[in-house]
Amino acid sequence: MRKSVTGAIVVAALSTGLAIAAGPAGARSVPACGNHSLAVSHNHSQGAMGHSNIIIRFKNVSSSACSLYGYPGLDALGSYGTVLKHAKRTVHGFTGGASSLQTIVVQPGHFASADVEWMNFNPKTSGDCQWSSAIATTPANTSHTVTFPISVSLCALQVHATVAGKTGNS
């Protein structure tokens, strides 16, 4: 008997506990991560050549695999919590990102991540940029928003697609 497989292509990395599934949304076999499935954290900002970035990390704290697809939400916040700017969603940029949009399957205890980058000067005027007091981020396909007291520039603020692992790069 021959089985025909259409839809998602799944590549599993069993040694790391991560899997990447590429294909249409209806082809996903692993349920989306829920609001309580992920612990959200970040690294310290880094910078070079007028650009800076942070990596937002999503750890699966549930007891079963779950999936993320697309971009996390990322807003720069003012001192009273008002949204100063929504980060532009781009697949990748100067500091990292993904090669394409993929469904990321995160095993229990493992991570997915997204690179957030900005410019430290105004690219149009070479002058100063406005800076936030904090950021708010929401993992892809959830409504669980987490706020961190991180200052980011509003100049060319971008969030890149979710990738497997802790580095923000695929």
Side-chain angles (χ1 to χ4, degrees):
M1 175 191 293
R2 180 179 170 181
K3 291 185 179 181
S4 175
V5 178
T6 60
I9 300 169
V10 178
V11 178
L14 297 177
S15 64
T16 63
L18 300 174
I20 300 172
R28 293 184 207 141
S29 60
V30 176
C33 295
N35 287 341
H36 303 292
S37 300
L38 302 169
V40 182
S41 62
H42 62 86
N43 70 343
H44 295 288
S45 66
Q46 306 172 71
M49 300 189 59
H51 294 259
S52 291
N53 77 317
I54 59 168
I55 307 300
I56 304 294
R57 296 181 175 135
F58 312 106
K59 181 179 182 180
N60 182 348
V61 295
S62 75
S63 60
S64 58
C66 64
S67 64
L68 294 169
Y69 178 81
Y71 302 90
L74 194 290
D75 293 326
L77 305 177
S79 57
Y80 295 102
T82 57
V83 175
L84 300 175
K85 185 167 189 170
H86 301 293
K88 181 179 180 181
R89 293 176 175 184
T90 59
V91 175
H92 64 275
F94 183 82
T95 63
S99 55
S100 65
L101 286 177
Q102 297 180 350
T103 299
I104 307 301
V105 177
V106 188
Q107 297 295 331
H110 292 269
F111 290 83
S113 59
D115 184 71
V116 177
E117 74 174 90
W118 59 90
M119 294 184 79
N120 295 318
F121 62 92
N122 187 316
K124 295 179 182 174
T125 67
S126 296
D128 292 335
C129 293
Q130 182 180 358
W131 290 78
S132 72
S133 296
I135 61 168
T137 187
T138 307
N141 312 118
T142 75
S143 60
H144 178 68
T145 301
V146 179
T147 301
F148 295 112
I150 299 172
S151 183
V152 300
S153 165
L154 304 189
C155 292
L157 180 61
Q158 301 172 47
V159 62
H160 304 309
T162 305
V163 299
K166 295 181 182 181
T167 67
N169 294 298
S170 61

